[in-house]
Amino acid sequence: MTSQLWKDQAFTVSHADGTGTVQGGFKGGLRAFFEYRDLGVNSATKGGYGANVIRAVPSLHAEPTWHVHDLDFQMIYILQGWVTFEYEGEGEVTFRSGSAASQPPGMRYREIRRSDDLELIEITSPAEFETQIVDDPANG
């Protein structure tokens, strides 16, 4: 099989069993309380976009720390379980299986709580980005 590029992007396949053009299962990543499965979008788009299946590590939970990501696009889609985030200017939002959200660049937020069986898809642009801890929006 040859790898061709279309508009500077490659065709990739990622199966849940770790096979396909993108191989491998869940690994540690940005946050210790989650495991990440790379869906191959990062390499296919040369870092322009990223897509991961993210699942909770049952024994670890997030500290509800306000933060912001330095990116142009972020969306989530909940596959199973639930999670509650608090968003700057929006308050708490609980997402369940089938819920989705698009989060504008620079919006401060924090995870409040989640189920141990949480699993979601996150799509970002770019694939790699910085995260900054920030002040509570209520404090300015």
Side-chain angles (χ1 to χ4, degrees), residues 14-128:
S14 174
H15 296 291
D17 66 2
T19 63
T21 56
V22 179
Q23 297 184 352
F26 284 91
K27 301 174 185 166
L30 179 64
R31 296 170 288 259
F33 47 89
F34 286 137
E35 295 177 314
Y36 299 78
R37 185 177 133 230
D38 178 8
L39 298 178
V41 174
N42 182 347
S43 61
T45 64
K46 297 182 180 177
Y49 295 86
N52 291 280
V53 177
I54 301 173
R55 69 179 178 195
V57 175
S59 60
L60 301 175
H61 290 273
E63 293 293 324
T65 305
W66 287 97
H67 62 282
V68 63
H69 300 301
D70 183 18
L71 41 66
D72 297 320
F73 177 82
Q74 180 181 20
M75 75 147 304
I76 60 169
Y77 179 83
I78 309 302
L79 297 168
Q80 70 179 28
W82 59 268
V83 61
T84 300
F85 290 109
E86 184 176 10
Y87 292 95
E88 176 181 8
E90 300 296 328
E92 288 189 16
V93 179
T94 299
F95 299 95
R96 296 175 262 307
S97 180
S99 298
S102 177
Q103 183 174 311
M107 183 180 220
R108 293 181 275 191
Y109 76 105
R110 63 184 179 162
E111 180 185 323
I112 302 296
R113 61 193 155 275
R114 55 137 172 102
S115 63
D116 282 343
D117 66 341
L118 175 65
E119 195 166 299
L120 61 94
I121 293 175
E122 179 182 57
I123 300 171
T124 63
S125 179
E128 303 290 329

Side-chain angles (χ1 to χ4, degrees), residues 3-12 41 43-46 48-49:
S3 178
Q4 294 183 344
L5 296 179
W6 291 267
K7 293 192 175 187
D8 211 26
Q9 296 182 21
F11 176 75
T12 61
V41 174
S43 61
T45 64
K46 297 182 180 177
Y49 295 86

